[in-house]
């Protein structure tokens, strides 16, 4: 039904007014007040660069004179300078290897696109490595040799992939060069988190364990006693481990860069699947890149940004296929990757699984349905199978009141910190009081979804394709949010709704007004990126700009001194047994099993033992604890508890190293710093179950 001129004017007024109102409220409520000057400077430089690039592109410059190419190259060189050439090479080799493993799908446009083939290949890599994790066969040289061999054997597929990617890029330059420049600049700014070292809490308590154990021991210990989340879905950790093995050292930025690019392209692909023009699709991609949490995911191994990238691609595939069954392998690969990334992704895909099952039954495609389910389990089930084998629970440590695994308390674990409740004003609170929904500052959610709400509603009412996707993710996102009010967990749903909102805004506003409204949202969102996490909220950007790549060491030492200390201990004593007693910083992941922590949620048994020991003022219980653990080194704060200090002094330990507030206690005689326990061996479930040789 065609709207009258008055109706179109009303729609444009409402949608543009919502954008202006939310921007004004964000300023009035001081969301931008605590953003440090160095980030504003970076944002200003990026804005000027974008404007000049757009003007240059509109002048008709093509080929290597097109600014999008040079801006992309500049962004990549920044990653190389700060993250290292080995990290960038690992990213490129991982991408090419994934593309080589994915077969082309003639006739399936969405599945045959270069980025989709990469995602399918990543699912295959996760499966191959996932099933082999407990076996001592993983070496850096082996990974490099196999990756190169795959690319050589499948060189025709790799060349075809590169050709398709290049042709797609040139097509975007010719059809929407100015919008491409804008998307590139926003993506580069969102990717500045790639410059930072890995100082995230969860990375250093959990996620880095797998990469470091493969680098050090050549296999994953499956140790759920020392880290209860060790057997949680590990797909993203596997990709980081592959990158680390290719680079020869930790290479977080390699995988984070890949997911950033796949997420931006996924937003573009979803918009195109729902009928957007190339220009509007690039606008949607740019707005996705500008979301504050998109920038946050470039600083960490947290998986929700990766889930968003895969879910957008999955939604696009279903939007294109309509009432026909989508191609078998891409469907199974995307479902498997989602399962391997995070168990809660099951909430997002459940409606789609029901839809696909109904289509298969209706069309009597039993073989397709059974093959899809079988391939999904084969490609995405490794962590669930190993978790069930080791602990008796495929979802360990979740729902342990039902599974009753002896490795964890018989409770249904949920983090009570993030139970703010759900009310009619939750979207407002998520936008202006983001700190209630995660370890964030106000504004971390971004303003896009609230500002685009009228445009989103109008788009849903107008277009059935957008309506189906929006209802799907609004309902599943709300279901997850009802369980725990945590921003990261609903990021995939909110990102997809924002993409749909951009489509609505483009259809609601006059062609000349749409770029203005979108640019305002881009700048506001990007300004709020530092509100997502404390280490970006600090003024690290001035340090990075002033000192260059050398600043990474200073940032690591000041934000995560435990990493620095552990590195020094293990360089001097590779077989050390380290006890970490600061419950606020249980950063044992980079020790690869050589350290245990007293944080109960990470290591319940050692945590309970430490609490018991700290009740004895004489220090004797701590002495017993040291003996059982065989501790050669003990890490404490500047002011350890009196029982702990007494026990350390009785044992003849003294402070031998310090970094920031961290103190390392060990025997004064370096020859006496010997691990006298077998805890790592006892907890090594991989060795116990598969009975291979000692270290």
């Amino acid at each position: 039904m065609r709207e009258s001129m008055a109706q179109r004017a009303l729609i444009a007024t409402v949608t543009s007014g919502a954008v202006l109102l939310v921007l004004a409220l964000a300023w009035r409520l001081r969301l931008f007040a605590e953003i440090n000057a160095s980030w504003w400077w970076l944002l200003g430089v990026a804005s000027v660069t974008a404007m000049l690039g757009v003007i240059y592109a509109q002048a008709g410059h093509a080929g290597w004179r097109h600014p999008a190419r040079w801006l992309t190259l500049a962004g990549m060189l920044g990653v190389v300078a700060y993250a290292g050439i080995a990290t960038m090479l690992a990213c490129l080799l991982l991408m090419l290897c994934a593309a080589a493993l994915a077969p082309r799908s003639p006739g399936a446009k969405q599945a045959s696109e270069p980025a989709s083939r990469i995602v399918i290949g990543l699912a295959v890599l996760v499966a191959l490595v996932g099933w082999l994790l407990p076996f001592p066969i993983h070496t850096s040289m082996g990974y490099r040799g196999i990756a190169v061999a795959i690319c050589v054997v499948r060189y025709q597929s790799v060349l075809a992939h590169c050709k398709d990617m290049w042709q797609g890029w040139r097509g975007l330059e010719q059809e929407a060069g100015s919008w491409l420049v804008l998307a590139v600049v926003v993506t580069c700014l969102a990717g500045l988190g790639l410059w930072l070292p890995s100082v995230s809490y969860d990375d250093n308590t959990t996620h880095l364990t797998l990469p470091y154990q493969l680098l050090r021991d050549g296999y994953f210990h499956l140790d759920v006693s020392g880290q209860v989340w060790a057997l949680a879905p590990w797909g993203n950790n596997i990709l980081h481990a592959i990158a680390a093995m290719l680079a020869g050292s930790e290479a977080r930025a390699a995988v984070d860069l890949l997911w950033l690019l796949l997420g931006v392209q996924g937003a573009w692909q979803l918009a195109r699947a729902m009928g957007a023009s190339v220009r509007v699709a690039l606008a949607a991609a740019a707005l996705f890149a500008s979301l504050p949490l998109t920038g946050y995911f470039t600083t960490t191994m947290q998986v929700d940004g990766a889930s968003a990238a895969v879910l957008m691609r999955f939604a696009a595939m279903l939007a294109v296929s309509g009432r026909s069954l989508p191609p078998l392998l891409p469907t199974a690969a995307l479902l498997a990757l989602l399962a391997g990334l995070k168990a809660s992704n099951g909430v997002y895909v459940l409606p789609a699984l029901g839809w696909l099952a109904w289509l298969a039954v209706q069309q009597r495609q039993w073989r397709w349905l059974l093959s899809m389910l079988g391939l999904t389990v084969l490609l995405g089930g490794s962590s669930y199978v190993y978790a069930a084998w080791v602990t008796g629970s495929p979802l360990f440590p979740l729902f342990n009141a039902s599974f009753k695994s002896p490795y964890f308390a018989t409770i249904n674990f949920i983090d009570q910190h993030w139970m703010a409740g759900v009310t009619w004003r939750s979207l407002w609170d998520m936008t202006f009081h983001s700190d209630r929904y995660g370890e964030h500052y106000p504004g971390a959610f971004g303003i896009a979804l609230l500002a685009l709400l009228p445009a989103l509603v109008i788009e849903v009412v107008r277009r059935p394709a957008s309506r189906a996707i929006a209802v799907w993710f609004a309902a599943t996102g709300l279901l997850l949010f009802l369980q725990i009010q945590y921003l990261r967990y609903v990021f995939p749903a909110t990102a997809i709704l924002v993409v749909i909102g951009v489509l609505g805004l483009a259809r609601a506003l006059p062609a000349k007004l749409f770029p203005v409204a979108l640019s305002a949202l881009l700048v506001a969102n990007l300004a709020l990126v530092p509100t997502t996490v404390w280490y970006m909220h600090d003024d690290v950007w001035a340090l990075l700009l002033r000192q260059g790549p050398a600043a990474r060491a200073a940032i690591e030492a000041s934000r995560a001194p435990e990493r620095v200390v552990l590195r020094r201990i293990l360089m001097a004593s590779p077989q050390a047994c380290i006890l970490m007693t600061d419950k606020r910083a249980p950063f044992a992941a980079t020790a690869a099993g050589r350290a245990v922590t007293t944080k109960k949620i990470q290591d319940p048994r050692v945590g309970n033992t430490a609490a018991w020991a700290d009740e004895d003022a004489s220090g004797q219980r701590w002495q017993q604890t040291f003996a059982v653990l065989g501790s050669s080194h003990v890490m404490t704060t500047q002011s350890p508890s009196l029982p702990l200090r007494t026990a350390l002094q009785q044992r003849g330990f003294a402070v031998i190293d310090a970094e920031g507030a961290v103190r390392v206690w060990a025997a004064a005689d370096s020859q006496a710093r010997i691990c006298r326990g077998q805890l790592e061996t006892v907890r090594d479930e991989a060795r116990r179950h598969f009975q291979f040789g000692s270290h």
Side-chain angles (χ1 to χ4, degrees):
M1 184 177 68
R2 296 178 62 86
E3 294 107 350
S4 66
M5 185 175 295
Q7 288 175 320
R8 290 198 297 270
L10 178 61
I11 289 172
T13 302
V14 170
T15 52
S16 59
V19 172
L20 286 172
L21 178 61
V22 173
L23 286 168
L25 287 170
W27 184 265
R28 179 69 179 83
L29 297 176
R30 299 178 58 79
L31 283 191
F32 308 107
E34 295 185 14
I35 307 302
N36 57 67
S38 57
W39 183 256
W40 281 118
W41 186 86
L42 284 169
L43 183 56
V45 170
S47 300
V48 171
T49 302
M51 286 189 289
L52 293 176
V54 167
I55 293 170
Y56 199 69
Q58 287 178 337
H61 297 290
W64 284 105
R65 296 178 65 192
H66 198 285
R69 299 188 187 184
W70 293 104
L71 291 169
T72 301
L73 180 61
M76 295 299 179
L77 289 176
V79 177
V80 170
Y82 283 89
I85 184 66
T87 294
M88 180 59 76
L89 291 176
C91 177
L92 292 174
L93 188 53
L94 177 60
M95 180 184 70
L96 293 176
C97 192
L101 287 172
R104 294 172 68 86
S105 302
K109 183 178 178 182
Q110 293 290 327
S112 63
E113 288 190 354
S116 294
R117 294 204 298 272
I118 290 175
V119 175
I120 293 168
L122 292 178
V124 175
L125 285 172
V126 167
L128 290 172
V129 176
W131 290 110
L132 296 173
L133 278 179
F135 303 98
I137 58 175
H138 305 267
T139 65
S140 286
M141 289 303 297
Y143 271 61
R144 293 167 188 162
I146 292 171
V148 171
I150 290 172
C151 293
V152 170
V153 171
R154 296 272 297 167
Y155 75 94
Q156 290 181 327
S157 178
V158 172
L159 290 177
H161 169 85
C162 294
K163 182 180 178 181
D164 290 346
M165 188 178 293
W166 182 244
Q167 288 177 342
W169 178 270
R170 292 184 64 185
L172 291 177
E173 287 181 342
Q174 294 168 6
E175 193 167 349
S178 299
W179 286 101
L180 180 61
V181 168
L182 187 64
V184 167
V185 172
V186 174
T187 302
C188 288
L189 197 60
L192 290 182
L194 301 168
W195 294 8
L196 295 169
S198 299
V199 294
S200 164
Y201 183 96
D202 285 353
D203 290 4
N204 287 287
T205 59
T206 308
H207 300 305
L208 285 167
T209 304
L210 197 159
Y212 272 85
Q213 286 187 354
L214 292 197
L215 285 167
R216 194 196 75 168
D217 297 333
Y219 71 99
F220 187 44
H221 297 185
L222 308 181
D223 174 14
V224 290
S225 297
Q227 174 47 258
V228 298
W229 301 103
L231 298 182
W234 53 30
N236 199 43
N237 294 346
I238 286 176
L239 294 175
H240 282 276
I242 294 172
M245 298 298 275
L246 294 175
S249 61
E250 181 188 327
R252 188 208 81 245
V255 179
D256 284 353
L257 172 59
L258 188 55
W259 282 127
L260 173 64
L261 298 177
L262 290 173
V264 171
Q265 199 279 338
W268 182 88
Q269 187 173 344
L270 177 60
R272 291 287 286 161
M274 291 190 293
S277 67
V278 171
R279 292 175 174 82
V280 174
L282 283 170
L287 193 58
F288 168 81
S290 78
L291 295 176
L293 286 174
T294 300
Y296 162 73
F297 289 123
T298 66
T299 73
T300 177
M301 294 167 66
Q302 296 286 11
V303 74
D304 307 276
S307 294
V310 181
L311 280 167
M312 286 190 289
R313 190 155 278 103
F314 185 57
M317 184 176 67
L318 293 187
V320 169
S321 62
R323 290 183 172 272
S324 301
L325 287 171
L328 174 61
L329 179 58
T331 303
L334 292 176
L335 287 171
L337 193 52
L338 288 168
L341 289 172
K342 196 164 190 172
S344 62
N345 285 335
V347 176
Y348 288 123
V349 303
L350 191 59
L353 281 176
W355 169 250
L356 292 173
W358 185 81
L359 286 178
V361 171
Q362 187 186 51
Q363 299 172 23
R364 300 183 182 277
Q365 295 291 332
W366 307 105
R367 180 176 295 180
W368 185 95
L369 180 60
L370 293 175
S371 299
M372 183 270 289
L373 294 174
L375 277 172
T376 299
V377 172
L378 178 65
L379 294 175
S382 60
S383 65
Y384 300 93
V385 171
Y386 282 124
W389 190 6
V390 172
T391 72
S393 167
L395 298 173
F396 184 85
L398 302 176
F399 306 112
N400 207 43
S402 300
F403 290 105
K404 295 180 170 57
S405 170
Y407 288 88
F408 196 67
T410 53
I411 60 172
N412 290 329
F413 172 77
I414 189 166
D415 193 340
Q416 296 294 332
H417 288 97
W418 313 118
M419 300 298 288
V422 180
T423 69
W424 65 271
R425 55 171 289 164
S426 288
L427 181 56
W428 171 277
D429 289 336
M430 292 162 70
T431 304
F432 295 104
H433 305 287
S434 308
D435 51 316
R436 299 176 186 174
Y437 303 98
E439 302 90 344
H440 310 299
Y441 300 87
F445 185 68
I447 66 168
L449 186 56
L450 186 60
L452 292 174
L453 195 57
L456 174 62
V457 171
I458 292 169
E459 176 70 9
V460 166
V461 171
R462 281 175 162 180
R463 302 183 66 85
S466 298
R467 185 185 312 143
I469 302 295
V471 171
W472 169 12
F473 284 97
T476 52
L478 178 60
L479 182 58
L480 268 178
F481 196 66
L482 286 169
Q483 304 307 308
I484 180 169
Q485 292 80 62
Y486 199 55
L487 288 187
R488 273 200 298 109
Y489 296 171
V490 295
F491 175 75
T494 56
I496 288 171
L497 293 175
V498 163
V499 169
I500 298 173
V502 173
L503 272 62
L505 189 69
R507 292 182 177 119
L509 295 183
K512 292 183 179 180
L513 185 56
F514 172 67
V516 177
L518 187 88
S519 298
L521 289 176
L522 291 175
V523 172
N525 272 336
L526 288 169
L528 293 170
V529 169
T531 65
T532 55
V533 68
W534 63 272
Y535 49 79
M536 286 211 287
H537 194 261
D538 293 347
D539 198 11
V540 294
W541 309 107
L543 192 64
L544 286 165
L545 292 170
R546 187 167 56 248
Q547 297 185 7
R552 285 170 56 93
I555 292 170
E556 181 186 47
S558 61
R559 273 74 178 179
E562 294 79 9
R563 285 173 55 98
V564 179
V565 168
L566 283 172
R567 191 182 306 126
R568 291 201 291 252
I569 292 174
L570 293 171
M571 285 181 63
S573 306
Q575 299 303 315
C577 285
I578 307 162
L579 174 61
M580 305 180 72
T581 62
D582 185 359
K583 300 179 183 64
R584 296 168 302 177
F587 298 158
T590 59
R594 304 305 309 182
V596 296
T597 173
T598 57
K599 179 76 170 179
K600 289 184 182 180
I601 190 57
Q602 307 294 341
D603 192 328
R605 295 181 182 178
V606 173
N608 288 327
T609 301
W612 167 80
D614 228 26
E615 294 172 355
D616 177 17
S618 71
Q620 290 303 307
R621 291 184 182 179
W622 272 115
Q623 289 275 28
Q624 295 174 38
T625 302
F626 297 153
V628 170
L629 299 178
S631 304
S632 61
H633 297 72
V634 178
M635 291 172 56
T636 73
T637 62
Q638 289 173 297
S639 304
S641 67
L642 181 60
L644 177 56
R645 179 185 291 274
T646 300
L648 290 167
Q649 292 171 345
Q650 290 171 350
R651 196 171 181 83
F653 279 18
V655 175
I656 62 165
D657 195 6
E659 187 70 50
V662 179
R663 300 293 180 267
V664 181
W665 297 69
D669 181 4
S670 60
Q671 300 300 317
R673 299 170 193 164
I674 302 170
C675 180
R676 302 182 185 279
Q678 297 295 317
L679 187 64
E680 183 187 11
T681 302
V682 170
R683 290 178 158 192
D684 191 333
E685 300 288 350
R687 291 184 63 200
R688 186 166 71 85
H689 284 275
F690 297 103
Q691 300 180 359
F692 50 81
S694 59
H695 294 293

